[in-house]
């Protein structure tokens, strides 16, 4: 999915998209560590991986891809034909900026399963170039990343849809020329499938963009607005109080090295050299955890709830922090505020929470605090193998095309920010300079030419979470034109939802009176209904085999 806390997918690494974590440089390493420790996905035993060869370079007339390539490479995919009946559609999920294996749960019991079952379709997961095992190059050096662009990846999907023969289903023509393809994606992949529908309308009959981000934005300070407006207000206001204390010191006393060192030491993080790395780490393990929330307890990240529970408690939770009370009072005073007992106690609880998360997790890895949280480790950035440096792919994409640096500096002066104003675009783009020697802003025009906030097309649905931090980069943004939802162009906002909550699903025996929540069930039922309408339209307008009445009815 997934900067600062580029949390698209990713994800968010566990619960959804990494863009979902579009991550600050040091958070990239945290994500990579999480991925490397992830247990092998048991669904790979249930669903066999297949490969289909696509061109490395679809655009031989464009200079930016020189030297061009005539080669092909394997794109990985998985499919489930359990519910397939001849004439049924292909329901294909774009994996986006992560391994396709991470999307297999949606084939088993999520949105792909739901739609395939309802339409007698075949469910498919398609891996994106430069992720998982779908690499057209031997390493992720800068010269070999030239083929990693959104337009090349879009062309991959179109080429595959127009030419694929599914292993074991060779007797059926399941290409887009003979059956309807409905594509689904969440977060970055949500924008991706919207672009597929606009660019390749004769190939993809319909598309569902969930939490899609079709508007590329360099300074994406609005990431924090849905959290500020819809998050638990006591937690929000307390976080804003904390930021005023932090910035009162790191900005108000920016040349007072001794005072800033004391601030870091009070939080147990004296060895994070750069002050901005320090305040960014605090935000990521606190307010930045909002996106990881999910309605499904099995995949939801509880960090945000634990953070809020700690910092809003006016009773001291961590007795060991009591010895820091005078230090905290001194810091509050230095920031120009009155060190009340309530604010002091809340900050002490914040310090205790920080020690149980940032400090302890780093110590457990036997790494220095700079190794865990620094943005300036050139040795780390110089590694280019995709086996251990898979983070480079998405970082390269947002450095070159997407942006989305989630800043505190961009927050208007009349809004109290949720993270330090020292977190700015230059800080967010450190990885661009050090890993790829990119010193210019991302060329967001190559993305926004597809329509941005105003993107629309018949049989292109937009499903967004009411409380999604990425909402301001899509058609439900506050600055976007208001739309009506129709069968042809569904436009729905899911009450209380965060990042592509409609993607998850449960087995029948896992459902309860409250799971899935009513808003999620309602939107998934709506998706089934409008996809069936689209399919009726397909068969009524195509000179093809007539589908049975049973299949055609809603």
């Amino acid at each position: 999915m997934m900067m600062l806390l580029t949390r698209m997918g990713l994800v968010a690494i566990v619960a959804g998209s990494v863009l979902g974590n579009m991550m600050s440089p040091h958070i990239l390493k945290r994500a990579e560590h999480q991925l490397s420790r992830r247990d092998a996905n048991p669904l790979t035993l249930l669903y066999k991986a297949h490969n289909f060869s696509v061109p490395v370079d679809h655009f031989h007339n464009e200079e930016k891809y020189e030297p061009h390539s005539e080669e092909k490479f394997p794109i990985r995919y998985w499919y489930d034909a359990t519910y397939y009946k001849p004439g049924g559609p292909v329901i294909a999920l774009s994996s986006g900026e992560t391994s396709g294996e991470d999307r297999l749960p949606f084939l088993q019991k999520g949105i792909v399963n739901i739609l395939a079952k309802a339409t007698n379709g075949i469910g498919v997961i398609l891996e994106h170039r430069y992720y998982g095992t779908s690499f057209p190059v031997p390493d992720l050096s800068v010269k070999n990343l030239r083929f990693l662009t959104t337009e090349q990846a879009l062309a991959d999907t179109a080429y595959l849809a127009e030419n694929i023969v599914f292993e074991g289903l060779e007797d059926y023509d399941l290409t887009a020329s003979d059956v309807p393809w409905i594509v689904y994606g969440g977060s970055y992949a949500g924008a991706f499938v919207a672009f597929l529908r606009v660019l390749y309308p004769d190939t993809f009959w319909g598309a569902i963009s969930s939490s899609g981000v079709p508007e590329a934005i360099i300074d994406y300070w609005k990431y924090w607005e849905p959290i500020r407006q819809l998050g638990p207000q006591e937690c929000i206001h307390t976080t804003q109080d904390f930021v005023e204390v932090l910035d009162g010191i790191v900005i108000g006393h920016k040349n007072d090295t001794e005072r800033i060192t004391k601030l870091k030491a009070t939080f147990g993080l004296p060895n994070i050299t750069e002050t901005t790395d320090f305040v960014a780490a605090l935000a990521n393990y606190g307010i930045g955890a909002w996106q990881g929330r999910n309605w499904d307890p099995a995949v939801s990240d509880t960090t945000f709830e634990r953070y809020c529970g700690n910092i809003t408690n006016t009773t001291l939770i961590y007795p060991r922090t009591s010895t820091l009370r005078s230090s905290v009072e001194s810091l509050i005073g230095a920031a120009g505020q009155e060190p009340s007992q309530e604010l002091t106690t809340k900050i002490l609880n914040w310090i205790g929470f920080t020690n149980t998360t940032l400090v302890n997790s780093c110590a457990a890895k036997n790494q220095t605090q700079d190794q865990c949280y620094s943005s300036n480790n050139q040795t780390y950035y110089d590694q280019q193998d995709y086996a251990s440096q898979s983070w480079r792919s998405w970082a390269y994409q947002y450095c070159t095309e997407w942006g989305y640096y989630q800043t505190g500096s961009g927050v208007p002066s009349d809004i109290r920010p949720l993270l330090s104003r020292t977190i700015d675009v230059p800080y967010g783009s450190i990885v661009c300079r050090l890993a790829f020697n990119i010193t210019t802003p991302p060329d967001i025009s190559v993305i926004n030419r597809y329509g941005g906030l105003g993107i629309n097309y018949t049989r292109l649905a937009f499903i967004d979470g009411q409380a999604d931090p990425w909402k301001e980069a899509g058609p439900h943004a506050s600055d976007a034109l208001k739309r009506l939802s129709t069968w042809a162009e569904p436009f729905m906002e899911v009450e209380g939802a965060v990042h592509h909550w409609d993607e998850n699903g449960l087995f029948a025996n896992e459902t309860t009176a409250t799971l899935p929540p009513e808003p999620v069930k309602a939107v998934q039922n709506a998706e089934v209904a409008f996809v069936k309408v689209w399919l009726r339209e397909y068969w009524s307008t195509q000179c093809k085999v007539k589908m049975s009445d049973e299949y055609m009815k809603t």
Side-chain angles (χ1 to χ4, degrees), residues 359-422:
V359 178
N360 288 353
S361 64
C362 188
K365 292 182 282 185
N366 294 316
Q367 293 181 336
T368 68
Q369 291 179 347
D370 267 347
Q371 286 175 321
C372 288
Y373 305 114
S374 173
S375 303
N376 294 278
N377 188 336
Q378 186 65 62
T379 301
Y380 178 82
Y381 291 131
D382 285 343
Q383 300 176 79
Q384 299 171 354
D385 63 293
Y386 51 72
S388 64
Q389 303 300 313
S390 58
W391 62 266
R392 289 176 67 86
S393 296
W394 180 240
Y396 183 79
Q397 285 194 259
Y398 67 71
C399 286
T400 54
E401 296 185 334
W402 290 86
Y404 293 138
Y405 304 113
Q406 297 151 30
T407 71
S409 62
V411 177
S413 59
D414 61 341
I415 295 177
R416 298 172 72 206
L418 293 176
L419 73 167
S420 172
R421 291 186 184 275
T422 63

Side-chain angles (χ1 to χ4, degrees), residues 5-219:
L5 306 159
T6 3
R7 293 186 70 80
M8 245 164 256
L10 255 59
V11 126
I13 296 245
V14 175
S17 141
V18 177
L19 172 101
N21 276 1
M22 284 188 354
M23 306 158 210
S24 63
H26 63 278
I27 301 305
L28 287 166
K29 291 189 286 184
R30 175 188 176 211
E32 177 201 344
H33 179 70
Q34 289 175 332
L35 287 170
S36 66
R37 294 187 59 188
R38 182 189 302 162
D39 293 337
N41 188 340
L43 293 182
T44 59
L45 301 177
L46 180 62
Y47 300 110
K48 178 183 176 182
H50 304 271
N51 289 284
F52 185 82
S53 291
V54 301
V56 172
D57 184 4
H58 297 272
F59 304 99
H60 284 244
N61 294 325
E62 295 194 26
E63 292 183 4
K64 65 182 177 181
Y65 298 120
E66 293 179 348
H68 294 288
S69 172
E70 301 290 343
E71 301 296 320
K72 289 188 174 183
F73 75 101
I75 286 282
R76 191 165 56 158
Y77 70 94
W78 298 258
Y79 74 87
D80 184 356
T82 299
Y83 306 108
Y84 178 69
K85 293 181 181 179
V90 172
I91 307 294
L93 182 145
S94 174
S95 294
E97 73 289 20
T98 188
S99 167
E101 291 183 6
D102 297 338
R103 308 307 192 195
L104 292 181
F106 310 129
L107 184 61
Q108 184 187 38
K109 59 178 181 178
I111 190 63
V112 181
N113 177 278
I114 291 169
L115 292 176
K117 184 177 182 179
T119 63
N120 297 327
I122 176 173
V124 182
I125 306 293
L126 301 176
E127 195 162 72
H128 191 293
R129 63 167 55 199
Y130 284 82
Y131 295 93
T133 65
S134 299
F135 287 92
V137 291
D139 61 45
L140 296 178
S141 59
V142 174
K143 68 175 182 179
N144 281 333
L145 285 166
R146 69 187 183 279
F147 297 117
L148 177 51
T149 63
T150 304
E151 69 174 358
Q152 291 277 11
L154 291 166
D156 288 342
T157 308
Y159 183 92
L160 182 147
E162 292 161 0
N163 295 281
I164 193 168
V165 176
F166 289 96
E167 182 179 318
L169 297 174
E170 292 85 356
D171 292 340
Y172 301 97
D173 184 349
L174 292 168
T175 64
S177 64
D178 203 65
V179 298
W181 277 60
I182 308 294
V183 283
Y184 175 101
S187 197
Y188 160 63
F192 188 88
V193 299
F195 299 162
L196 285 175
R197 177 68 185 129
V198 171
L199 289 176
Y200 301 98
D202 294 333
T203 300
F204 301 101
W205 184 250
I208 303 173
S209 174
S210 179
S211 293
V213 288
E215 177 85 4
I217 302 167
I218 294 177
D219 188 338

Side-chain angles (χ1 to χ4, degrees), residues 111-376:
I111 190 63
V112 181
N113 177 278
I114 291 169
L115 292 176
K117 184 177 182 179
T119 63
N120 297 327
I122 176 173
V124 182
I125 306 293
L126 301 176
E127 195 162 72
H128 191 293
R129 63 167 55 199
Y130 284 82
Y131 295 93
T133 65
S134 299
F135 287 92
V137 291
D139 61 45
L140 296 178
S141 59
V142 174
K143 68 175 182 179
N144 281 333
L145 285 166
R146 69 187 183 279
F147 297 117
L148 177 51
T149 63
T150 304
E151 69 174 358
Q152 291 277 11
L154 291 166
D156 288 342
T157 308
Y159 183 92
L160 182 147
E162 292 161 0
N163 295 281
I164 193 168
V165 176
F166 289 96
E167 182 179 318
L169 297 174
E170 292 85 356
D171 292 340
Y172 301 97
D173 184 349
L174 292 168
T175 64
S177 64
D178 203 65
V179 298
W181 277 60
I182 308 294
V183 283
Y184 175 101
S187 197
Y188 160 63
F192 188 88
V193 299
F195 299 162
L196 285 175
R197 177 68 185 129
V198 171
L199 289 176
Y200 301 98
D202 294 333
T203 300
F204 301 101
W205 184 250
I208 303 173
S209 174
S210 179
S211 293
V213 288
E215 177 85 4
I217 302 167
I218 294 177
D219 188 338
Y220 189 47
W221 66 270
K222 286 188 176 180
Y223 177 92
W224 307 101
E225 281 299 274
I227 307 174
R228 182 180 71 86
Q229 295 168 1
L230 298 174
Q233 290 303 290
E234 185 179 3
C235 181
I236 298 304
H237 296 155
T238 301
T239 299
Q240 291 170 322
D241 291 341
F242 290 173
V243 171
E244 288 184 354
V245 173
L246 288 178
D247 280 359
I249 296 172
V250 301
I251 295 177
H253 299 276
K254 63 181 179 180
N255 296 320
D256 189 340
T257 303
E258 182 177 350
R259 194 181 300 276
I260 291 175
T261 298
K262 179 182 178 181
L263 172 67
K264 296 178 188 176
T266 303
F267 277 83
L269 296 165
N271 297 315
I272 298 181
T273 302
E274 297 295 330
T275 301
T276 310
D277 285 333
F278 164 71
V279 294
L282 291 177
N284 183 70
Y285 281 82
I287 200 71
W290 171 268
Q291 185 183 316
R293 298 165 56 248
N294 195 284
W295 63 265
D296 183 355
V299 299
S300 185
D301 180 359
T302 61
T303 301
F304 181 82
E305 285 77 9
R306 290 187 288 115
Y307 164 74
C308 287
N310 276 248
I311 69 165
T312 58
N313 199 319
T314 56
T315 301
L316 191 66
I317 301 173
Y318 304 92
R320 291 183 180 181
T321 63
S322 61
T323 59
L324 299 172
R325 184 171 291 275
S326 61
S327 295
V328 170
E329 291 174 343
S330 174
L331 291 169
I332 295 172
Q337 297 190 40
E338 182 66 31
S340 67
Q341 180 174 345
E342 180 177 322
L343 179 58
T344 300
T345 299
K346 287 181 175 181
I347 291 180
L348 289 172
N349 288 337
W350 185 26
I351 291 169
F353 175 79
T354 299
N355 274 266
T356 62
T357 54
L358 277 77
V359 178
N360 288 353
S361 64
C362 188
K365 292 182 282 185
N366 294 316
Q367 293 181 336
T368 68
Q369 291 179 347
D370 267 347
Q371 286 175 321
C372 288
Y373 305 114
S374 173
S375 303
N376 294 278

